[in-house]
Amino acid sequence: MKPRITYQPGHSILHCLHPLVKGAWMLFGTVLVFIVPNPWAVLAVLGLVLLAFSVTGVRLGQVRGTRLFTSTAFLLAALQILFVRQGPVLVQIGPLAPTIGGVEAGVYVAGRFLSVVFLSYLFVLTTDPNSLAYALMQAGLPYRYGFTLITALRLVPVFEQEGQTVYNAQLARGVQYDARSPRRFLTLARQFFLPLLVSALGKVDALAVSMEGRCFGKYPTRTFLRTVHFTRLDATAAVLLLLVTVGIASALAVL
Amino acid sequence: MGYDAAPILRGVSLEIGPGEFVAVMGDNGSGKTTFLQSLLGLLKPAQGRVEVLGQDTRRVPVSWLARQVGFVFQNPDHQLFADSVWQEATFAPRNFSALDEASQARVEALLARCGLGDRRQDHPYRLSYGEKRRLNLISVLAYAPRLILLDELLIGQDIGNATFLLELLREQVEQGNTVIMVNHHPEVTRRYASRLIFFNDGRTIVDAPTEEGFQQLAALGREVYLPSTRRRL
């Protein structure tokens, strides 16, 4: 089974980066692929993102969902190439006549899609969720919300495992996940999510009672055993981000 | 055999016949649940072969095996997904297109015996823990499987409920069906099981008729797993 889309511990430069600085870079990358006017620039951003993966040591091909998202991107590109008719025809293949405009639109859509997905992957795979929550709390997020975030992230693998158990329990009763119609799909989805929802509510209730029992929320502020430090590397990355943002904004203004 | 890439069961070789009541015991994480899941084909062996009712579990879909093999999971809530007790109890026969008068009568009789006869229209989540467990078992017995797999069926059951469920299972064995039950109660094993399989770190270290199995466990120094009358205090 491929690894879950969750934090993969490591010591790369991206792993060591402050979560908020990394988040800012991710946000910048996401905005960038939507504002650059050239489809090949989107491909360049995608290339940089893929390059970043090689730095982290995480093999993208081995992460769950990569194949699905890549196939979806190719499908989106193919649809654009087949149906967008702008500019000169590249080649005539029977009734198909892909145009330069269609190819550019395909590159645009697929490049943007994959860039956003892989940027998110990059962030999730290299960021310890606890560090992110602690960083947010140090930046001023009330600790109640920070703890909510930590708990939610901590429960993701639990629910994933529960989902597998519910799925197995249904297979054991002869349920076949072969949705032949929307109605059948809805029935299967309801049968799958109902036990999960009940289990989730039970866990949340137990957790709330447990926290209540330990006086969570008694004080408006709290101390932290663990702190996330802002290092020289983070300062450099933040300044670089600022410079790149200003540079690209100026270039776009000129264009 | 295992989850992800990590093997959990290794070198397990055994054969279980019809009409056996097998108790599977062992420490937490020793491979008991993995063993049960492999018998329904939910987990496939990386090496070796698991044959159930003459079929290699790698070659037949789980849905095929599920017609002959009933599985009660550890957590009752994981198995409840219908809107009423009746629908839950009859889900599998309906799903297998086998909800005839005989199976309906069987379910009605089981519900009545389990004290759920007047709760047919209630939502399963409104039942108590013990009632849910009984409903889990009814929903499996409803389609008369030849092999019944039970993962810690007795958790959270009072003595009355536990005895009732065990007697239901004994009846199944008397009818020639096979019961394989993961269980942590030596007394229950001694009283109901005809065979004891004990797992340790993914391997079977005991596989013998129950009394002989307890003797082997004693010889292995596993005295905490012995019934109280055999335990040296």
Side-chain angles (χ1 to χ4, degrees):
Chain A
M1 198 181 285
K2 291 190 171 183
R4 298 183 178 105
I5 308 166
T6 183
Y7 174 56
Q8 313 279 319
H11 298 97
S12 72
I13 217 170
L14 277 167
H15 281 90
C16 298
L17 213 53
H18 192 284
L20 298 186
V21 175
K22 208 185 319 182
W25 268 102
M26 191 194 76
L27 190 67
F28 167 76
T30 306
V31 172
L32 184 64
V33 293
F34 282 96
I35 59 170
V36 287
N38 187 331
W40 309 110
V42 174
L43 272 195
V45 173
L46 179 60
L48 285 174
V49 173
L50 294 177
L51 194 67
F53 268 100
S54 65
V55 173
T56 62
V58 178
R59 293 179 67 180
L60 186 56
Q62 291 184 344
V63 180
R64 208 182 287 177
T66 304
R67 193 182 294 178
L68 173 72
F69 286 120
T70 311
S71 312
T72 309
F74 276 109
L75 181 69
L76 290 171
L79 288 173
Q80 298 292 322
I81 292 168
L82 287 176
F83 296 109
V84 173
R85 302 197 180 267
Q86 278 174 3
V89 172
L90 272 175
V91 61
Q92 185 81 37
I93 313 164
L96 303 176
T99 60
I100 287 184
V103 171
E104 285 183 349
V107 171
Y108 242 139
V109 172
R112 281 173 175 170
F113 178 73
L114 283 181
S115 297
V116 171
V117 168
F118 290 160
L119 271 168
S120 313
Y121 267 31
L122 203 57
F123 185 76
V124 172
L125 294 170
T126 62
T127 309
D128 177 4
N130 288 336
S131 297
L132 172 64
Y134 288 126
L136 285 168
M137 286 188 272
Q138 281 169 28
L141 181 76
Y143 76 87
R144 280 171 172 273
Y145 301 117
F147 190 80
T148 307
L149 178 65
I150 290 175
T151 310
L153 292 169
R154 200 176 285 163
L155 286 177
V156 168
V158 175
F159 287 129
E160 194 176 353
Q161 197 176 6
E162 291 236 331
Q164 185 64 46
T165 308
V166 169
Y167 177 73
N168 283 341
Q170 299 194 356
L171 287 184
R173 304 270 294 278
V175 173
Q176 286 175 288
Y177 278 85
D178 55 346
R180 286 179 293 262
S181 66
R183 193 176 163 193
R184 171 95 179 126
F185 176 80
L186 285 176
T187 307
L188 286 171
R190 193 176 60 86
Q191 286 174 358
F192 178 77
F193 285 112
L194 181 65
L196 265 189
L197 179 68
V198 169
S199 170
L201 290 174
K203 279 194 171 54
V204 169
D205 187 47
L207 187 66
V209 170
S210 160
M211 287 167 64
E212 198 91 21
R214 283 178 278 174
C215 300
F216 181 83
K218 186 180 179 189
Y219 301 105
T221 57
R222 58 169 286 184
T223 56
F224 294 95
L225 177 66
R226 199 170 143 186
T227 49
V228 183
H229 299 288
F230 196 82
T231 62
R232 201 174 287 172
L233 172 72
D234 302 318
T236 310
V239 170
L240 194 63
L241 174 63
L242 194 68
L243 291 175
V244 172
T245 308
V246 170
I248 288 182
S250 312
L252 287 174
V254 170
L255 288 171
Chain B
M1 183 98 58
Y3 308 90
D4 297 340
I8 292 176
L9 296 184
R10 281 166 296 221
V12 175
S13 176
L14 47 88
E15 196 173 325
I16 297 171
E20 284 198 73
F21 194 132
V22 181
V24 178
M25 299 178 75
D27 302 332
N28 291 336
S30 59
K32 303 181 296 295
T33 298
T34 305
F35 173 63
L36 287 195
Q37 294 195 350
S38 71
L39 296 180
L40 187 54
L42 293 171
L43 292 173
K44 314 284 185 191
Q47 287 178 1
R49 197 172 55 188
V50 178
E51 267 191 25
V52 176
L53 303 165
Q55 297 291 329
D56 187 333
T57 57
R58 280 178 304 191
R59 298 186 192 282
V60 289
V62 176
S63 55
W64 186 90
L65 282 170
R67 284 175 176 254
Q68 311 280 339
V69 182
F71 196 133
V72 177
F73 282 69
Q74 247 179 54
N75 184 340
D77 289 342
H78 285 156
Q79 262 183 296
L80 301 173
F81 43 81
D83 292 332
S84 70
V85 167
W86 175 255
Q87 282 182 11
E88 183 65 37
T90 56
F91 177 86
R94 242 182 305 121
N95 195 38
F96 297 138
S97 305
L99 187 63
D100 51 16
E101 281 184 16
S103 59
Q104 286 191 46
R106 184 165 52 240
V107 171
E108 276 179 18
L110 282 167
L111 284 172
R113 282 184 67 188
C114 292
L116 297 172
D118 55 350
R119 306 205 57 183
R120 288 171 46 146
Q121 299 310 319
D122 283 353
H123 197 284
Y125 285 117
R126 297 189 67 186
L127 302 180
S128 69
Y129 190 88
E131 289 169 333
K132 283 179 188 171
R133 220 66 185 115
R134 277 178 270 163
L135 180 58
N136 284 156
L137 188 58
I138 291 169
S139 60
V140 162
L141 298 182
Y143 57 101
R146 289 162 63 192
L147 171 60
I148 301 164
L149 308 172
L150 307 149
D151 199 354
E152 304 198 20
L153 178 74
L154 305 181
I155 286 181
Q157 301 299 303
D158 59 39
I159 293 173
N161 263 332
T163 308
F164 176 78
L165 293 173
L166 287 163
E167 290 300 330
L168 267 183
L169 293 171
R170 201 200 303 258
E171 284 174 21
Q172 293 297 312
V173 172
E174 284 167 0
Q175 289 165 23
N177 297 319
T178 305
V179 171
I180 303 177
M181 180 168 78
V182 169
N183 155 52
H184 289 293
H185 304 283
E187 302 290 352
V188 168
T189 298
R190 189 173 68 171
R191 186 162 177 193
Y192 289 91
S194 56
R195 178 173 170 183
L196 165 62
I197 296 175
F198 193 93
F199 277 89
N200 180 53
D201 197 20
R203 297 176 193 276
T204 49
I205 57 168
V206 169
D207 178 11
T210 308
E211 279 306 317
E212 194 186 321
F214 280 128
Q215 284 170 15
Q216 290 181 18
L217 277 178
L220 289 167
R222 297 284 191 149
E223 302 220 332
V224 289
Y225 284 99
L226 301 182
S228 54
T229 50
R230 294 188 67 96
R231 217 175 285 163
R232 277 175 291 169
L233 297 172

